[in-house]
């Protein structure tokens, strides 16, 4: 696993915090045939007006697309309402909304129920994940806290495995790394399996758990318990039986990746 395949950072355009700037969020609905026109307005007229586009994304919603974006109007010659008006006159565009907070330097898209793979979803930043991964250790002690985090991961992985199992064992195992990557756990994620069964190796670049925990580590350590539990839980659903999972390499122990060995318990 080379460092050149470490993946690109992708900013989800729902929230922006830049103190001292005039930030505005916006949402709209558009027919598929009008998306090109919407993009043209965003990246020509709006950009020319001095609006710095921080992010823009669209998602299919029935026969329409729901689009959201963030813009920095600090040095813009156009007002947010003028931008909204320019978008609203495009045929097929409707429900243009502007979200400008009373807090300077903050913008957030409101009114969305997030979904991923037809299920409710939430976004958690590293700041929130630190509480999830490190909080139990501080409250319960290192050993009990690590066990608590492991079982959080185990039941998370088991639920994912139960969902994927409907597609069959081979497809479920093939989809699993892609789902974990798409949800931001790490990238790239590679899976190696023993042809005789009962043994897997997962190699994970930029594992979010160990990245978040790096500032809490004193000295060298292997710090994953949540993802280790996720692997065990997913395999228990997809393959059946119980699995022992060990983190054998960790970015907090000097490696360029986190690696896990999973073996079926005898």
């Amino acid at each position: 696993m080379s460092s050149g395949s470490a993946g690109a950072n992708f900013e989800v355009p729902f929230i922006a915090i830049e103190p001292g700037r005039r930030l505005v969020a916006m949402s709209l609905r558009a027919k598929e045939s009008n998306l090109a026109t919407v993009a043209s307005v965003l990246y020509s007229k709006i950009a020319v007006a001095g609006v710095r586009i921080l992010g823009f994304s669209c998602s299919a919603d029935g026969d329409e697309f729901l689009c959201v974006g963030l813009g920095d109007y600090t040095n813009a010659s156009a007002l947010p309402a003028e931008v909204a008006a320019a978008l609203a006159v495009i045929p097929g565009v409707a429900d243009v909304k502007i979200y400008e907070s009373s807090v300077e330097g903050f913008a957030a898209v409101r009114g969305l129920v997030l979904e991923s793979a037809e299920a409710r979803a939430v976004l958690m930043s590293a700041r929130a994940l630190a509480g999830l991964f490190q909080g139990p250790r501080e409250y319960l002690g290192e050993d009990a806290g690590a066990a608590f985090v492991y079982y959080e991961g185990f039941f998370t992985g088991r639920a994912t495995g139960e969902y994927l199992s409907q597609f069959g064992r081979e497809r479920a195992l093939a989809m699993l790394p892609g789902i974990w990557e798409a949800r931001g756990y790490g990238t790239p994620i590679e899976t190696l399996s023993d042809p005789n069964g009962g043994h897997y190796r997962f190699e994970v670049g930029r594992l979010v758990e160990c990245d978040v925990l790096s500032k809490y580590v004193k000295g060298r350590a292997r710090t994953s318990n949540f993802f280790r539990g996720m692997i065990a839980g997913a395999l228990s659903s997809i393959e059946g039986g119980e699995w022992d999972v060990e983190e054998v390499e960790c970015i907090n122990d000097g490696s360029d990746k986190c690696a896990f060995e999973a073996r079926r318990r005898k």
Side-chain angles (χ1 to χ4, degrees):
M1 185 178 296
S2 66
S3 58
S5 60
N9 292 338
F10 183 85
E11 184 76 20
V12 179
F14 294 158
I15 300 171
I17 302 176
E18 294 185 21
R21 312 295 294 181
R22 185 181 183 183
L23 305 182
V24 177
M26 183 178 293
S27 66
L28 59 84
R29 292 184 177 275
K31 298 293 185 182
E32 182 177 3
S33 58
N34 301 98
L35 285 179
T37 305
V38 171
S40 176
V41 171
L42 281 172
Y43 291 99
S44 59
K45 295 180 181 179
I46 294 176
V48 169
V51 179
R52 182 166 62 99
I53 299 173
L54 303 177
F56 181 73
S57 181
C58 296
S59 176
D61 185 20
D63 61 349
E64 296 179 322
F65 278 79
L66 174 60
C67 302
V68 299
L70 297 167
D72 181 353
Y73 286 74
T74 306
N75 300 314
S77 59
L79 296 173
E82 294 173 335
V83 171
L87 292 168
V89 298
I90 300 173
V93 171
D95 200 22
V96 180
K97 295 179 180 178
I98 296 173
Y99 307 93
E100 186 167 10
S101 173
S102 60
V103 179
E104 185 184 55
F106 170 73
V109 177
R110 308 285 293 275
L112 298 181
V113 176
L114 302 184
E115 293 186 354
S116 177
E118 300 181 346
R120 283 288 300 270
V122 297
L123 291 174
M124 294 183 69
S125 70
R127 290 177 288 274
L129 289 172
L132 180 69
F133 298 145
Q134 178 64 17
R137 289 179 167 91
E138 295 180 0
Y139 185 72
L140 300 173
E142 183 61 33
D143 291 342
F148 183 91
V149 173
Y150 171 86
Y151 281 106
E152 285 180 326
F154 178 87
F155 292 117
T156 299
R158 189 178 72 175
T160 300
E162 288 172 350
Y163 168 73
L164 292 179
S165 292
Q166 66 181 299
F167 304 107
R169 173 184 172 276
E170 291 187 5
R171 288 184 177 181
L173 290 170
M175 287 190 286
L176 192 60
I179 287 178
W180 284 340
E181 279 202 46
R183 290 181 174 167
Y185 288 108
T187 186
I189 299 178
E190 299 178 2
T191 306
L192 305 173
S193 60
D194 184 342
N196 297 319
H199 178 207
Y200 290 91
R201 179 180 172 90
F202 294 84
E203 297 185 352
V204 187
R206 301 186 67 179
L207 180 62
V208 65
E209 179 183 10
C210 294
D211 186 26
V212 166
L213 292 175
S214 62
K215 68 178 182 179
Y216 299 98
V217 175
K218 296 180 180 179
R220 298 164 70 98
R222 296 174 185 172
T223 50
S224 174
N225 287 292
F226 185 86
F227 196 79
R228 186 168 64 86
M230 281 216 313
I231 294 172
L235 290 177
S236 72
S237 292
I238 297 171
E239 290 275 26
E242 297 182 335
W243 291 77
D244 291 319
V245 180
E246 179 186 2
E247 185 182 21
V248 295
E249 293 183 49
C250 183
I251 59 172
N252 292 323
D253 195 29
S255 179
D256 63 346
K257 61 182 177 295
C258 295
F260 302 83
E261 299 282 348
R263 289 180 170 81
R264 186 188 296 275
R265 190 175 299 171
K266 297 180 180 180

